[in-house]
Amino acid sequence: MIQIEKSWLKYLGLEFEKQYMKDIKKFLKNEIQSWKIIYPHPKDIFNALNSCSFDDTKVVILGQDPYHGPWQAHGLSFSVQQWVKVPPSLQNIYKELEDEFGIRKDFSNGNLEAWAQQWVLLLNSVLTVEAGSPASHSKIGWQQFTDTIIETLSREKSWLVFLLWGAYAIGKKDLIDPQKHLILTSPHPSPFSVHKWFFWNMHFLECNEYLQEQNKKEIIW
């Protein structure tokens, strides 16, 4: 049985009974039986939903698919385990945080669980990947599930902040009601696009200002 934080079950429980989710499960089982390495570990596939409840979600940071290197992915977008080298995209996110807040980030620690504990949903659009093969699971059906998550959050909640970085994430913009939520878009923080105005996009400050306006506690980034 799939384990996710209980407040999500009201909205997502039936998704697991649909054929596309059964197909995903069958695909992953066959891949593992064929000795292919899949990231993240099965226990962490739904880590974003276990780490941040539906009821408490305040911010959504949308990624594309998990890191495909050894030990990197653990089910939270842009995050890696504490003992893993911080990937370039996350290093650039940290640089932006330093510039916006005048703080020093620990570039040796890429674990973002502390954000999830403040109700930042770190959601990848695709929840699994084959080792060494980026976007390898982009066509197995995960987007139907994660699009449902985005649409449900938009419909059922108000005053959320959605951080959409890069063309792929921005493509999800139409799933979100701009009358109810703050949508912030910019280029992706990867080294290939970070200088196209990801730096100095001021998203983290703007996010916290919006949360304060809604009488919500700001995020300690």
Side-chain angles (χ1 to χ4, degrees), residues 17-150:
E17 300 178 14
K18 295 182 178 179
Q19 188 60 47
Y20 80 92
M21 287 296 281
K22 294 178 181 179
D23 292 341
I24 292 173
K25 182 178 179 180
K26 181 179 179 181
F27 173 86
L28 294 176
K29 182 178 179 180
N30 289 340
E31 293 290 279
I32 292 170
Q33 289 177 342
S34 299
W35 299 102
K36 292 184 178 180
I37 300 174
I38 305 299
Y39 297 132
H41 188 282
K43 70 178 179 62
D44 288 329
I45 290 175
F46 299 101
N47 194 17
L49 301 181
N50 279 318
S51 301
C52 182
S53 74
F54 177 90
D55 290 344
D56 296 308
T57 295
K58 298 191 293 188
V59 180
V60 180
I61 299 180
L62 186 64
Q64 187 164 352
D65 66 340
Y67 296 118
H68 54 88
W71 310 111
Q72 290 181 309
H74 65 127
L76 303 179
S77 63
F78 293 101
S79 180
V80 293
Q81 298 283 11
Q82 185 169 350
W83 58 85
V84 177
K85 182 179 178 180
V86 177
S89 291
L90 183 53
Q91 290 185 34
N92 288 331
I93 290 171
Y94 281 179
K95 290 175 184 176
E96 175 61 19
L97 283 166
E98 288 189 336
D99 287 340
E100 289 189 31
F101 291 96
I103 58 176
R104 294 295 298 272
K105 294 295 296 182
D106 180 3
F107 280 74
S108 68
N109 181 7
N111 191 312
L112 303 180
E113 289 177 345
W115 294 5
Q117 291 167 2
Q118 298 175 78
W119 315 123
V120 178
L121 179 65
L122 298 165
L123 180 68
N124 279 316
S125 182
V126 176
L127 300 187
T128 57
V129 69
E130 182 181 345
S133 184
S136 50
H137 291 181
S138 63
K139 297 182 180 180
I140 70 171
W142 278 125
Q143 289 95 331
Q144 184 172 343
F145 180 66
T146 55
D147 283 0
T148 298
I149 293 174
I150 298 168

Side-chain angles (χ1 to χ4, degrees), residues 32 59 168 182-183 190 202-203:
I32 292 170
V59 180
Y168 184 87
L182 177 63
I183 305 171
S190 79
M202 309 305 286
H203 280 185

